[in-house]
Amino acid sequence: MNKGWKNFLTSAVLVCAMSMAAVQVQAGSLLTLDPGESTIREFYLHDEFDSRTFGPMEAYLLIGTGDNETKLGDLTITLKPTVTKDFGAVLEYSLLGLAYPLGGKPEFITVKSAAPLTLTKTVKMSAAYGLVLAGVYIKNIDGDVLLPAQFSITFSWAVGK
C-alpha cells in the first residue's frame, strides 16, 4: 500500500473513532481554545469505569483554532483529584485520549495516577488547527473512598512558533 493510501486510511479511522467517542461528549464538554488560552472545568465521577457501558467517564472535545500567523503550540492537560479517602484506601484514575494536529501526526494520550497526586500531560501540536478528545475515568477503587470523587481539569494551549 502506498503512503497516500496509508495516510488516508489512518485519517479515516481516526475520524470514525473520534466521531463515535464524541457521542459521549455533552454540550458543555465541547470547548474551543485559541493559542495562549486556558480553561478549567470541574466534574464528578460516581464510580469505577465499566467497559460494558463505557462509563462513567467525563469526556471533552477540544477544538484548537489558530491561524496562519498564530499557530497552536503545546497543549498541557492537568488533572487534579479532590478525594476524601480513609488511610490505606486507593483511588486510581486515568486520562485517555487522542490529539490530532490537522496536517500532523496523531498522538494517543494514556496516563494514569492515583489520588491525591496531580497528573499532567503535554501534547505537541504545532498546527493551525487541532482536535483533542480526552476522557477521564476511575480505574480502580480499593478501600473506603467517599464518592462521588471531584476532579478539576485544566486545558492550556500555548502559542506556537
Side-chain angles (χ1 to χ4, degrees):
M1 195 182 311
N2 67 17
K3 188 176 179 179
W5 276 105
K6 284 183 183 179
N7 289 340
F8 174 75
L9 186 58
T10 301
S11 297
V13 168
L14 288 172
V15 167
C16 288
M18 290 177 75
S19 297
M20 289 172 30
V23 170
Q24 296 288 331
V25 177
Q26 299 171 358
S29 300
L30 176 62
L31 308 169
T32 58
L33 292 175
D34 292 329
E37 286 187 334
S38 66
T39 186
I40 299 173
R41 296 289 190 261
E42 293 188 7
F43 62 93
Y44 293 91
L45 291 175
H46 298 277
D47 204 356
E48 285 183 38
F49 182 76
D50 182 3
S51 60
R52 291 173 294 170
T53 61
F54 205 62
M57 176 186 278
E58 185 72 15
Y60 295 92
L61 179 61
L62 270 69
I63 302 171
T65 56
D67 55 37
N68 289 336
E69 290 151 14
T70 309
K71 295 197 182 284
L72 297 169
D74 295 348
L75 172 67
T76 302
I77 304 170
T78 305
L79 185 59
K80 181 179 180 184
T82 308
V83 178
T84 304
K85 59 183 187 150
D86 289 338
F87 180 76
V90 176
L91 185 135
E92 295 177 339
Y93 63 95
S94 293
L95 173 67
L96 180 68
L98 175 70
Y100 182 61
L102 296 179
K105 289 187 176 184
E107 180 179 341
F108 290 100
I109 302 168
T110 56
V111 189
K112 64 181 180 177
S113 188
L117 301 175
T118 299
L119 179 147
T120 301
K121 174 68 177 172
T122 301
V123 180
K124 304 266 185 219
M125 292 302 276
S126 187
Y129 299 99
L131 298 170
V132 176
L133 181 63
V136 180
Y137 64 93
I138 296 175
K139 186 173 184 171
N140 183 35
I141 300 172
D142 187 19
D144 292 329
V145 176
L146 185 60
L147 293 175
Q150 182 179 3
F151 291 85
S152 67
I153 190 165
T154 304
F155 298 102
S156 180
W157 225 312
V159 177
K161 298 177 183 175

